[in-house]
Amino acid sequence: MASIIETVSGIADYAKSKNIAHLHTQNEVIRDNRLLIANKDVVNFASCSYLGLEFHSSLKKNSIDAIDRFGTQFSSSRAYLSLGIYQELTQKLDKIFGGHTVVTPTTTLGHLAAIPVITSSNDLIVLDHQVHNSVQMAVQNCKAKGTTVRIIRHNNLEALEKILDEERENYERIWYMADGIYSMYGDKAPIHEINDLLDKYPSFNLYIDDAHAMSCFGERGQGYVLSEIDITEKIIVGTSLNKAFASGGGAIICGKKEWAELIMKCGGPMITSGPMQPAGLGAANAAADLHLNGEIKKFQKKLKDNILYTHLLLEKARLPNLSEKDSPIFFIGTSIPSVAYNIIEKMMSNGHYLNLGIFPAVPIKNTGVRFTITAVHSFEQIEKMVVDLETNYHLALSEEEFPIEKVYRAFKMKLPEEKFVSEKAIPHLSNHNLKVHLFDSLKDEWIEKWDSTIGKRSSFNYSALRGLQNVYSNNARIENNWNMKYLLITDNSDNVILSTFITTSLLKEDLLSPTEISIELEEVRKDVPYFMTSKVTMLGTPLTEGNHLFLKCTMKQVKLKALNLLIKELENIQKEEESNSIMLRDMVANDPDMDHLMVDLGFFKSSLPNSNTLNLQDIEIDEFIISLGKRNRKHFRDNILSAQDIIYSKVNKDPNQISKWYDLYSNVSSKNLSLNTFKVPKLFFEYVAKSDDWEIIELYSRAEDHLLGMIICEWNRDQYNPVLIGLDYEKNFEFNAYRNLLWESIKKAKSHGCSAVNFGYSAEIEKKKLGAKQERNIAYIQSADTFNQEVLMNESIESLKLAV
Amino acid sequence: MEIKLSKEEFCLFSDESKILILDAHGRLIFVQKINENLEIRIYSLFEFMVEYIRHVEGDKTLSIKPVHVSEDYVCLLTGRV
């Protein structure tokens, strides 16, 4: 599965190195939106304090007064004792929201207190795909106690209603959990339509996080949701007192009094976590007064005008603005991270502090520049920022050689008029004299270049690949038709700098998922064969394993240029073939340069199974056992040598055996879902029987002359590559057939004079026992749509059935 | 990028913000006091004219809106050429 922590850590390190994340202010005093960061005076366009109330004299005075009266903290669990000003605040918030409020130390702790208490194992939780991470975290606790969880695509009320129709009889309550205003793109939940569903379905309940709308919307600053609809017994709203409310803490507002009481009494963090402290409570009480006495409207009006002004200017600048008209959160799409990093660096040096909107908050291919507008900004500050943003946006696209069309495509937005695009946005590509050669097949003059570079590795010689290409062409089934291309990049002197082969084919999306998920999906596929499958453009083919990228050059700049050209070709193929993802697989795990480049280009890093290679160079078959460790020698003696008297092997290419081989392979293929691929077609077996590049080793029992198994290997002069195995499982244990087939392939490789056996993925322990060394592999993946993968990671396959 | 609002866009803002926009981008071309308390100002803003009527003593905005006033007419009133 994807190594998310590794990817996020890499992104954070990179952003840190560019001085655009994990920063600290250097101001002695902050009185408005001007900050000193990295010795640079900047205007803050990243504050979530949308009304600027943190500078309001009554909040500051009340906060100081509370410290004077109660000290810096009141340290007691709220289950025992709370400060009296807590009660005061709760009563004021009840008036603001018109519901029953529980004040919590933070919004996240509020969700953690509320969600597990209000839901039971008889409930179904439906999560919006983009609901805030803090809600998703709390829902994990519900999953642990047996509550069913499904995920639907963002704001897809059709899918929600389908679930309500189908499941209303099966669950006591069905909860939809969403955000009022989403924190990255600033878009909103369709609250009136959701409210209609609340009226229509008695068991339907709503839990909604409205943190980013608190104070900004509504007569009393009650937020977006409660300014549009009234709270009822079926609605719970979570909100923040730490954004526009400018005080710290969070609040859970319930339509039903009993729920508020239950959360207060039983919500884990309400019992075990510390309370909000006097300074925050003092400020919150003053902020609540501003909401109730109407003073808040003055700030809301200024914010509204600032938002309007920003939208109008962005429209004139024709930047890809994804935000909704009245949201204080703005998101300018860049698609790939490198453009966003570039813009933010430039904006910083122009005196504007903006944020990145990047993975994991958004899919990596939907990266962008995120900024916020507050009531504190002046029109002049907004004007200067938008003017600089327009200039820097186009400059960054040009410097990163990323055409604006791709940005609009990534966000499924309509391109501005043609003239504008052609004049302003098409970057000038300079290839540093590298030449790209992309072929469907290779002519003689290129075959030598191929076989002396990438063709030397594993089973990648041209003849073997061409054979595979023929097998996987013109077939009836979609999955048995690959589109293969050969790519070579050469320098001025026609030296090959980079060579690789690229295949676009249909893959199962659970290729790398845990076996239990694949078992469940295979059940669905009995009725819907192509359920959870999508086209992938990848280095290599679904049947080859090993490092598929030959890259030879000492100059880092040239290497990066060649890789950039490779990515561009992959993206072109992806566009032509309409595939969902690009995958650079079997790559070296620890290559920081490559990591940075790939993250910049919008790829995320994912772990692959280890590859297993046995080096044969210093090994003699007669003395093979000596090369093994003590424990493995025993294994070799007990399980392999001991069977030699009752089994024998032979290389057989008799086409009459094809059906038998296919049956044996089918046994393994249906049982082994650890790498869940489509079954190899029978045509492949016909091809290997005829090809000189391949051989089939059969294993028989001596007594009955029974075929126990077979292993199909590609022989690439220097390397021996077992690719497929077939077994008679009924006899496997008795004859140790699997282990002996591995051993037979080692002997055969040595007899051919090969220096290594590439055993590929899986069955790592068995291969290790025969001396194979493991190498960590990773893939860089870029997907147009990550919904299915994210749902698979959440192990919520039921959600995906909605797509059927 | 040129900072420019249309008449219709200007009308979307609150009076307080309209004044800020006038201060930043408007050109005052005519001021007349009707009596001790009432003042009319005409601004040229982007590609249109804005009439701003305020109560002087109360420092209160009474009206602020785009108007059809030709520059010739303003010149006539002010004696400017």
Side-chain angles (χ1 to χ4, degrees):
Chain A
M1 296 299 285
S3 48
I4 288 179
I5 291 180
E6 215 176 317
T7 304
V8 175
S9 167
I11 290 170
D13 286 344
Y14 191 48
K16 230 167 142 178
S17 74
K18 287 185 171 272
N19 250 338
I20 55 176
H22 294 270
L23 300 164
H24 291 93
T25 61
Q26 296 165 303
N27 305 61
E28 288 291 324
V29 176
I30 297 175
R31 296 202 192 283
D32 54 24
N33 60 12
R34 282 166 299 178
L35 301 176
L36 182 64
I37 303 174
N39 300 319
K40 180 90 200 155
D41 283 311
V42 292
V43 175
N44 186 2
F45 283 95
S47 172
C48 296
S49 183
Y50 303 114
L51 299 179
L53 295 185
E54 70 272 38
F55 305 115
H56 194 285
S57 57
S58 76
L59 269 78
K60 292 202 276 189
K61 189 176 161 294
N62 243 35
S63 185
I64 294 164
D65 182 53
I67 292 177
D68 275 345
R69 288 161 64 202
F70 308 114
T72 56
Q73 71 164 354
F74 185 80
S75 188
S76 168
S77 161
R78 292 200 62 201
Y80 293 126
L81 188 64
S82 302
L83 272 181
I85 49 173
Y86 241 120
Q87 215 166 15
E88 198 185 317
L89 176 62
T90 307
Q91 284 163 3
K92 288 175 188 171
L93 292 175
D94 282 353
K95 282 187 193 158
I96 291 172
F97 297 116
H100 305 280
T101 311
V102 180
V103 179
T104 58
T106 65
T107 315
T108 301
L109 287 176
H111 294 321
L112 285 167
I115 293 172
V117 167
I118 55 157
T119 58
S120 78
S121 55
N122 300 327
D123 290 358
L124 167 67
I125 295 175
V126 181
L127 291 175
D128 184 283
H129 179 209
Q130 287 180 16
V131 66
H132 196 266
N133 180 261
S134 54
V135 173
Q136 298 191 35
M137 262 167 64
V139 167
Q140 291 303 321
N141 292 352
C142 305
K143 272 172 93 172
K145 67 176 185 186
T147 310
T148 311
V149 179
R150 290 198 197 167
I151 302 170
I152 57 169
R153 282 187 188 273
H154 181 46
N155 279 345
N156 187 341
L157 295 195
E158 215 175 288
L160 176 62
E161 189 159 12
K162 195 176 173 199
I163 294 176
L164 290 169
D165 273 333
E166 286 171 3
E167 304 288 6
R168 61 187 151 168
E169 303 298 330
N170 302 329
Y171 294 94
E172 199 175 314
R173 281 178 299 234
I174 299 177
W175 290 90
Y176 177 49
M177 300 199 177
D179 285 2
I181 290 190
Y182 286 86
S183 61
M184 277 292 133
Y185 300 141
D187 56 327
K188 294 177 189 157
I191 196 66
H192 290 286
E193 289 83 346
I194 295 171
N195 204 29
D196 290 344
L197 295 177
L198 284 166
D199 289 340
K200 189 173 169 187
Y201 296 93
S203 63
F204 178 43
N205 290 260
L206 175 66
Y207 187 98
I208 193 154
D209 181 330
D210 205 24
H212 283 277
M214 178 68 203
S215 308
C216 304
F217 294 84
E219 275 284 293
R220 302 177 303 279
Q222 66 268 44
Y224 162 64
V225 173
L226 295 180
S227 64
E228 296 291 325
I229 60 169
D230 289 331
I231 197 155
T232 69
E233 293 210 333
K234 299 205 300 173
I235 298 175
I236 294 183
V237 179
T239 194
S240 173
L241 307 181
N242 203 13
K243 293 185 164 58
F245 202 81
S247 309
I252 304 294
I253 305 106
C254 306
K256 193 151 79 178
K257 192 177 177 193
E258 294 77 40
W259 271 348
E261 286 170 352
L262 204 65
I263 295 164
M264 189 64 208
K265 282 185 294 190
C266 308
M270 303 309 296
I271 303 167
T272 56
S273 296
M276 260 180 89
Q277 295 306 344
L281 286 168
N285 268 303
D289 289 338
L290 297 183
H291 285 62
L292 290 169
N293 68 19
E295 202 182 327
I296 195 80
K297 287 179 197 162
K298 181 176 79 187
F299 297 92
Q300 287 178 332
K301 199 152 79 172
K302 178 70 173 103
L303 174 65
K304 195 177 161 218
D305 280 351
N306 278 353
I307 293 170
L308 171 66
Y309 198 52
T310 311
H311 270 290
L312 290 172
L313 296 187
L314 286 172
E315 222 170 85
K316 290 169 204 306
R318 301 189 219 200
L319 292 170
N321 173 17
L322 279 100
S323 333
E324 281 198 23
K325 288 280 176 222
D326 51 359
S327 159
I329 302 166
F330 289 77
F331 194 97
I332 308 299
T334 63
S335 181
I336 57 168
S338 62
V339 177
Y341 285 127
N342 189 323
I343 294 168
I344 286 167
E345 269 185 298
K346 286 186 166 67
M347 291 299 281
M348 189 87 154
S349 67
N350 290 147
H352 319 284
Y353 173 62
L354 285 71
N355 285 160
L356 268 177
I358 198 168
F359 182 81
V362 294
I364 201 143
K365 198 68 184 164
N366 292 134
T367 297
V369 173
R370 177 190 183 271
F371 66 89
T372 56
I373 289 294
T374 73
V376 182
H377 287 119
S378 67
F379 280 168
E380 198 189 344
Q381 286 175 334
I382 294 170
E383 283 169 14
K384 189 172 178 323
M385 188 274 286
V386 177
V387 168
D388 286 342
L389 185 59
E390 188 210 18
T391 308
N392 291 330
Y393 188 88
H394 294 291
L395 206 56
L397 282 179
S398 176
E399 284 173 5
E400 303 299 330
E401 299 189 353
F402 194 74
I404 199 164
E405 291 94 327
K406 285 191 178 179
V407 177
Y408 281 84
R409 204 187 309 143
F411 289 96
K412 298 187 175 83
M413 291 168 84
K414 200 170 165 268
L415 257 176
E417 60 200 69
E418 287 301 316
K419 188 168 172 279
F420 166 75
V421 172
S422 56
E423 274 174 7
K424 279 196 133 171
I426 307 258
H428 302 289
L429 297 174
S430 67
N431 290 341
H432 294 284
N433 301 321
L434 296 182
K435 277 183 260 174
V436 177
H437 314 271
L438 187 69
F439 304 105
D440 291 329
S441 60
L442 296 182
K443 288 191 175 151
D444 286 349
E445 65 265 32
W446 286 100
I447 292 175
E448 199 195 327
K449 286 186 193 297
W450 183 268
D451 283 341
S452 60
T453 58
I454 184 74
K456 270 184 173 174
R457 291 186 193 158
S458 195
S459 54
F460 310 156
N461 66 77
Y462 181 66
S463 156
L465 292 179
R466 191 73 186 137
L468 276 182
Q469 200 174 1
N470 288 333
V471 168
Y472 281 91
S473 300
N474 305 315
N475 292 307
R477 298 184 70 93
I478 316 170
E479 68 270 28
N480 292 340
N481 289 291
W482 297 348
N483 184 340
M484 269 177 81
K485 294 197 183 293
Y486 303 86
L487 178 86
L488 296 105
I489 297 178
T490 54
D491 64 11
N492 266 347
S493 321
D494 280 341
N495 295 316
V496 176
I497 300 291
L498 181 152
S499 58
T500 187
F501 52 109
I502 299 161
T503 307
T504 302
S505 70
L506 198 70
L507 284 188
K508 295 181 182 181
E509 297 207 32
D510 52 319
L511 175 76
L512 300 170
S513 297
T515 306
E516 54 274 21
I517 289 184
S518 293
I519 291 171
E520 217 176 311
L521 285 173
E522 287 306 322
E523 275 305 308
V524 184
R525 287 186 186 123
K526 283 178 185 167
D527 297 325
V528 190
Y530 295 109
F531 177 64
M532 282 289 290
T533 60
S534 62
K535 259 191 184 182
V536 176
T537 298
M538 64 162 81
L539 294 195
T541 75
L543 211 57
T544 51
E545 287 177 17
N547 188 343
H548 296 91
L549 182 66
F550 173 86
L551 184 57
K552 189 189 175 190
C553 62
T554 46
M555 280 173 68
K556 193 174 164 186
Q557 276 304 97
V558 180
K559 179 178 156 186
L560 293 179
K561 191 73 221 173
L563 284 167
N564 264 301
L565 290 171
L566 165 67
I567 302 302
K568 281 194 174 75
E569 290 304 324
L570 284 165
E571 286 176 344
N572 289 340
I573 296 171
Q574 182 192 30
K575 192 180 165 192
E576 267 172 35
E577 293 288 321
E578 296 177 342
S579 69
N580 181 53
S581 311
I582 295 175
M583 177 157 61
L584 279 76
R585 41 176 285 229
D586 301 19
M587 307 293 284
V588 180
N590 298 312
D591 185 344
D593 283 348
M594 190 73 178
D595 286 352
H596 285 164
L597 174 76
M598 298 314 287
V599 166
D600 259 1
L601 293 172
F603 286 75
F604 70 85
K605 195 169 162 178
S606 173
S607 296
L608 290 178
N610 291 337
S611 60
N612 296 275
T613 305
L614 177 66
N615 188 338
L616 293 176
Q617 267 168 342
D618 303 319
I619 292 175
E620 291 304 327
I621 286 298
D622 295 343
E623 295 169 348
F624 182 78
I625 196 164
I626 302 169
S627 69
L628 301 174
K630 197 177 167 188
R631 202 177 292 172
N632 291 344
R633 282 182 202 174
K634 184 174 174 349
H635 163 79
F636 187 70
R637 247 184 251 116
D638 294 350
N639 298 303
I640 293 173
L641 289 183
S642 66
Q644 295 303 301
D645 292 340
I646 54 170
I647 57 169
Y648 74 95
S649 73
K650 66 176 177 190
V651 170
N652 194 349
K653 302 201 82 173
D654 180 357
N656 294 322
Q657 289 289 92
I658 288 172
S659 289
K660 288 181 187 168
W661 298 333
Y662 188 70
D663 291 344
L664 291 171
Y665 157 72
S666 300
N667 293 341
V668 176
S669 151
S670 60
K671 201 168 174 176
N672 183 6
L673 297 177
S674 62
L675 263 180
N676 197 14
T677 52
F678 281 108
K679 200 172 167 186
V680 171
K682 215 169 185 177
L683 197 59
F684 172 77
F685 295 81
E686 290 168 17
Y687 155 67
V688 294
K690 278 186 267 172
S691 168
D692 291 338
D693 295 313
W694 298 80
E695 52 192 12
I696 302 122
I697 306 171
E698 293 179 327
L699 193 73
Y700 288 89
S701 66
R702 283 187 192 278
E704 296 164 328
D705 210 18
H706 177 81
L707 181 58
L708 301 167
M710 60 88 205
I711 189 162
I712 298 180
C713 309
E714 195 267 349
W715 171 30
N716 186 13
R717 293 189 292 272
D718 187 47
Q719 316 243 318
Y720 202 69
N721 309 294
V723 172
L724 284 186
I725 200 158
L727 289 168
D728 176 351
Y729 279 113
E730 282 181 17
K731 305 275 181 184
N732 183 33
F733 185 71
E734 187 186 342
F735 292 92
N736 268 315
Y738 177 76
R739 289 162 174 164
N740 274 289
L741 280 167
L742 293 183
W743 171 234
E744 291 303 325
S745 65
I746 294 171
K747 285 196 291 186
K748 189 52 76 182
K750 195 67 194 173
S751 74
H752 287 312
C754 294
S755 66
V757 184
N758 297 311
F759 278 125
Y761 301 147
S762 76
E764 199 171 306
I765 295 171
E766 292 298 334
K767 291 165 185 174
K768 213 169 172 178
K769 282 177 181 168
L770 288 171
K773 298 274 178 263
Q774 283 66 49
E775 200 172 328
R776 210 181 137 219
N777 287 307
I778 55 108
Y780 297 106
I781 301 172
Q782 187 190 80
S783 296
D785 182 353
T786 56
F787 177 75
N788 285 354
Q789 286 306 318
E790 284 173 44
V791 173
L792 274 183
M793 281 158 75
N794 275 291
E795 294 166 34
S796 180
I797 292 165
E798 286 300 314
S799 309
L800 295 167
K801 289 183 188 167
L802 285 168
V804 178
Chain B
M1 176 194 139
E2 197 188 350
I3 308 282
K4 199 162 86 177
L5 297 180
S6 69
K7 244 189 278 186
E8 293 72 24
E9 288 169 344
F10 179 73
C11 289
L12 297 171
F13 290 90
S14 65
D15 284 355
E16 291 85 344
S17 293
K18 282 177 188 161
I19 295 166
L20 292 174
I21 295 168
L22 280 183
D23 284 347
H25 297 284
R27 182 167 56 93
L28 180 66
I29 55 171
F30 172 68
V31 185
Q32 184 160 11
K33 272 196 168 177
I34 303 295
N35 55 41
E36 271 192 15
N37 277 326
L38 218 55
E39 184 186 88
I40 299 176
R41 293 172 176 223
I42 302 286
Y43 285 84
S44 166
L45 179 72
F46 307 123
E47 285 166 355
F48 55 95
M49 299 287 193
V50 175
E51 178 197 69
Y52 173 19
I53 306 173
R54 62 188 278 265
H55 190 274
V56 181
E57 200 180 310
D59 193 20
K60 205 176 163 192
T61 302
L62 298 176
S63 156
I64 178 162
K65 61 183 183 198
V67 284
H68 295 285
V69 180
S70 77
E71 288 233 22
D72 293 348
Y73 179 67
V74 172
C75 290
L76 196 68
L77 280 174
T78 57
R80 283 196 288 117
V81 179

